[in-house]
Amino acid sequence: MIGGARQPREYGPPPVPPSHQGCAIRSVRVQLPAQRGELRDRHEDGHHLHHLVWRLDPSLRVCSSAVLGGGIGPRAWILNAQVPGGYPRLDPDRHLAEIAAAEGLTGPGAGLMTAADVAAYTTGHDGGVTATVTTGLGVRGWAAAPESATHAPHRPGTVNIVVTLSDAALVNAVATATEAKVQALLDAGLDCSGTPTDAVCVAAPEPGPDGGEPFAGPRSAWGARIARAVHTAVLAGASTAR
C-alpha cells in the first residue's frame, strides 16, 4: 500500500488463537525516549524474552522489509521481538501478531523478529534521526553468495534496524541505512554484509504541502544523518555481538 487507506486486515494483528492468549508481558524498568521504543519482556515456552515497541503518531508512514506489515504505508506501531535460538515456528508473521495483540496494539503495524538479545539494543543519533539496532551475527555472510550457500539451513541471526526521523524519501532512506550497516560491519572487522534475515524499518511523517524531502541518499542532508546514526548503532552492536 502506498499512500492509500489503512488495511487492518492485511497489516493488523489477526485474532489470537486460544492456545497463545496467555502470554505474560510486562514493562522492564527502563525509561526510554519514545524514538528508541519501549523495552518490554515476556515469557514464552520457558524462555524469558524481550521486545521493543514503538507506538507511532498517526501522521507517520513506514517503509520496511519487516516480516509482518512490510512495504510502504501508514503504520500505528513497530515491534522488534526476540525469539529463542533454533526458532521452531513456521509462522513468524502470526507469532508477531500474537505478541502485538498481547500488547494491545491495533491497526496496521510492522513486526520484526530476531534471535539477538533485544535488551542489548544499541542506538545512534544525528540531527533529528534516531537509529535503534539489535544485532545478531551468528549467520553472517555476503548478499551475493554462491547458489549452494542459499540452500543451507539458517540459524537465527539478524541485524534489525529501526530508524525514526523528521522526514525523508523512504525507499532511499532504507538503501542508505543498509549501506551504513555494511560499512559498520566492515569497520568492526567482520567479513560480511550482514545476515540472511536482516530487516530495516524507517518511519517518517506524511509529507506536508511542500512534498517533504525528495532525497535521502548518503550525501543528502537527511540521508547523511541516517547513515551516521545507523553506522554508530550497528558498529556498537557488532563490536559486542561477536
Side-chain angles (χ1 to χ4, degrees), residues 152-166:
H154 296 314
R155 292 179 293 116
T158 304
V159 179
N160 283 344
I161 301 171
V162 176
V163 178
T164 55
L165 62 155
S166 296

Side-chain angles (χ1 to χ4, degrees), residues 6 54-62 75-78 164 203:
R6 295 187 175 185
W54 288 259
R55 302 173 196 270
L56 302 180
D57 185 274
S59 65
L60 288 180
R61 59 199 172 109
V62 170
R75 301 289 184 269
W77 47 269
I78 300 172
T164 55

Side-chain angles (χ1 to χ4, degrees), residues 29-49:
R29 292 186 179 180
V30 179
Q31 297 298 319
L32 302 174
Q35 282 191 316
R36 299 185 192 177
E38 180 186 1
L39 182 64
R40 305 273 282 170
D41 73 350
R42 69 191 193 282
H43 293 271
E44 288 184 3
D45 300 323
H47 297 283
H48 183 202
L49 305 167

